[in-house]
Amino acid sequence: MSEIRHNWTREEILEIYNKPLMDLLYEAATVHRKYHDPNTVQVSTLLSIKTGGCPEDCGYCPQAARYHTDLEGNDLMSVSHVKAQALRAKASGSSRVCMGAAWRNVKDGPEFDQVLEMVRTINKLDMEVCCTLGMITETQAKRLAEAGLYAYNHNLDTSEEYYKEVISTRGYEDRLETIDNVRKTNVTVCSGGIIGMGESVEDRAGMLVSLASLNPQPESVPINALVAVEGTPMEEQKPVPIWEMIRMVATTRIVIPETQVRLSAGRTEMSREGQAMCFFAGANSIFAGDKLLTTPNPDVNEDMEMFEMLGLNPQKPFIKKMQPETVEAEDSQYQALGEKPKWSRPGHTIERNEEAKMKAKELKKAK
Ligand code: SF4
């Protein structure tokens, strides 16, 4: 009988999260060793292929056009630029490239075609390719799969209840629908969240209930610590204490045992000792490179030094699942349908998002 459970309750997860730390670590490390090689860590490189100017209002995000941050936006990168970056990432030990575009959802057309070409190009470099492009339809997911996409990232961010305090321009059910569309292909699912946005521990448990109830559970779960960027609605949030990060990683490991738990944003604030405890608690993936989309990240050489000190080895690509085949554009079975899906737009008022928007407007006026 499979030991993977999809019916975790919030109470059960809270009980795990709040255990005495030594008991929690021991349990998480035991689960980790049962399902994974504890000395192997996946290294992914995150590339922002289209930066800023996003129409969404995610309260944590400096890429939302409505807030005023120091971020410099960029149009979609060329395929050759992406290829050069992927080769650099491969040379420095990454097995996966994750490409992020600041879009609400994917629209059929030349830009999506360009992303498909990026996917084909990186898959041919024998690296795992992941994309995070916003909401996608089933046909778009199939086109990505055909191009050789290995994973699609779409974070749930937090619990369904607290989501309404963070984003007003789309609904939780759209996130789940996109994940469902990805699941209709052989592309793996990467979905996790952010802690430190002002949510309660119950919300953290609620997010894990949602992720664990997916069947199959996501193959990767990124756990981010909020990086509070000036100008965003969450600019005043205090950094997440390392102990909370360790507890969240350990609880994720126990509840979603087969997944790769990724230490994502916020690593620059963590000591090596803190990161080592996260690896012990079951984290087995990191993002490498000096930037995480738009926020700082440790230098890859420092990470490799840390790996050496801890005796960790970077994971080789396609260990968990075979490399997908790339179908060239001219041989594709799927055509762009120009679909215009009705993704929701709840449009409720989130006070801190409104305040940050007003502040941005005033700053613009004053210029
Ligand atoms: S998190 Fe993504 S969807 Fe939300 S504002 Fe940022 S780029 Fe846009």
Side-chain angles (χ1 to χ4, degrees):
M1 200 176 83
S2 162
E3 292 176 25
I4 310 296
R5 280 185 53 195
H6 300 279
N7 60 350
W8 287 96
T9 65
R10 215 173 260 226
E11 293 65 36
E12 285 175 313
I13 293 178
L14 278 172
E15 204 175 301
I16 295 172
Y17 184 98
N18 289 321
K19 274 186 183 203
L21 190 69
M22 297 308 138
D23 291 346
L24 175 60
L25 281 175
Y26 180 72
E27 189 178 335
T30 307
V31 172
H32 189 45
R33 278 158 192 268
K34 186 167 169 196
Y35 289 90
H36 305 270
D37 171 356
N39 298 313
T40 299
V41 172
Q42 183 201 37
V43 182
S44 299
T45 293
L46 185 53
L47 262 186
S48 182
I49 56 170
K50 187 264 164 191
T51 309
C54 182
E56 301 287 80
D57 76 336
C58 310
Y60 51 81
C61 183
Q63 302 205 65
R66 63 189 70 203
Y67 310 134
H68 179 86
T69 62
D70 286 340
L71 183 76
E72 258 184 58
N74 281 110
D75 291 341
L76 189 61
M77 264 185 198
S78 66
V79 177
S80 59
H81 191 166
V82 166
K83 182 177 180 182
Q85 301 263 29
L87 283 168
R88 268 186 45 199
K90 187 176 181 180
S92 57
S94 279
S95 59
R96 177 181 290 196
V97 173
C98 180
M99 297 187 283
W103 289 331
R104 168 173 164 80
N105 59 292
V106 167
K107 296 192 179 87
D108 291 334
E111 291 205 312
F112 185 43
D113 293 344
Q114 196 167 318
V115 173
L116 292 171
E117 198 45 42
M118 292 173 192
V119 173
R120 289 185 198 101
T121 304
I122 302 175
N123 191 41
K124 284 182 206 157
L125 300 178
D126 297 327
M127 297 182 82
E128 296 174 7
V129 198
C130 173
C131 278
T132 181
L133 312 169
M135 295 169 287
I136 56 172
T137 64
E138 185 179 337
T139 314
Q140 289 165 341
K142 285 180 174 158
R143 295 183 75 205
L144 284 162
E146 248 194 353
L149 191 74
Y150 187 87
Y152 194 82
N153 165 269
H154 205 57
N155 289 336
L156 291 185
D157 291 343
T158 185
S159 68
E160 185 163 8
E161 297 79 13
Y162 197 68
Y163 197 78
K164 298 182 183 78
E165 306 291 323
V166 178
I167 300 153
S168 76
T169 53
R170 58 165 191 260
Y172 211 68
E173 64 286 357
D174 294 328
R175 309 302 280 174
L176 296 169
E177 192 178 328
T178 288
I179 292 173
D180 201 43
N181 288 338
V182 175
R183 277 289 177 224
K184 290 174 184 152
T185 70
N186 60 4
V187 173
T188 61
V189 168
C190 171
S191 185
I194 307 172
I195 64 170
M197 301 191 291
E199 77 289 342
S200 63
V201 173
E202 285 73 18
D203 289 312
R204 293 176 190 170
M207 178 182 85
L208 291 180
V209 168
S210 299
L211 290 170
S213 70
L214 297 172
N215 194 1
Q217 293 177 338
E219 286 82 353
S220 313
V221 176
I223 301 293
N224 295 276
L226 177 76
V227 177
V229 178
E230 198 182 333
T232 61
M234 295 189 185
E235 63 181 4
E236 285 182 2
Q237 286 296 323
K238 300 259 176 314
V240 174
I242 184 68
W243 305 112
E244 294 186 22
M245 195 66 185
I246 294 168
R247 285 187 180 278
M248 190 64 188
V249 165
T251 310
T252 307
R253 168 54 67 225
I254 293 166
V255 171
I256 314 179
E258 283 182 318
T259 199
Q260 301 240 201
V261 179
R262 182 167 307 124
L263 275 188
S264 300
R267 268 202 312 124
T268 42
E269 299 299 316
M270 293 179 205
S271 66
R272 282 192 173 165
E273 292 83 347
Q275 291 182 65
M277 284 192 93
C278 287
F279 293 131
F280 184 71
N284 59 351
S285 177
I286 58 165
F287 272 129
D290 55 2
K291 267 208 162 161
L292 262 198
L293 290 179
T294 61
T295 51
N297 198 48
D299 178 81
V300 69
N301 295 326
E302 281 175 29
D303 281 337
M304 288 307 127
E305 222 180 87
M306 173 175 72
F307 273 33
E308 213 180 303
M309 191 187 297
L310 302 177
L312 297 173
N313 304 304
Q315 182 178 298
K316 294 197 169 52
F318 311 113
I319 292 288
K320 305 273 176 184
K321 197 168 181 207
M322 257 173 49
Q323 181 171 12
E325 272 180 37
T326 282
V327 175
E328 297 301 335
E330 56 275 21
D331 302 324
S332 170
Q333 321 177 33
Y334 300 103
Q335 300 308 313
L337 299 177
E339 296 158 290
K340 292 205 170 70
K342 291 230 172 332
W343 300 112
S344 73
R345 202 178 281 279
H348 56 281
T349 303
I350 303 174
E351 233 162 76
R352 62 183 169 183
N353 290 13
E354 286 306 306
E355 278 167 22
K357 191 169 103 182
M358 291 310 292
K359 217 162 116 189
K361 271 192 185 160
E362 280 160 21
L363 281 169
K364 209 171 157 195
K365 246 198 248 161
K367 270 194 180 168

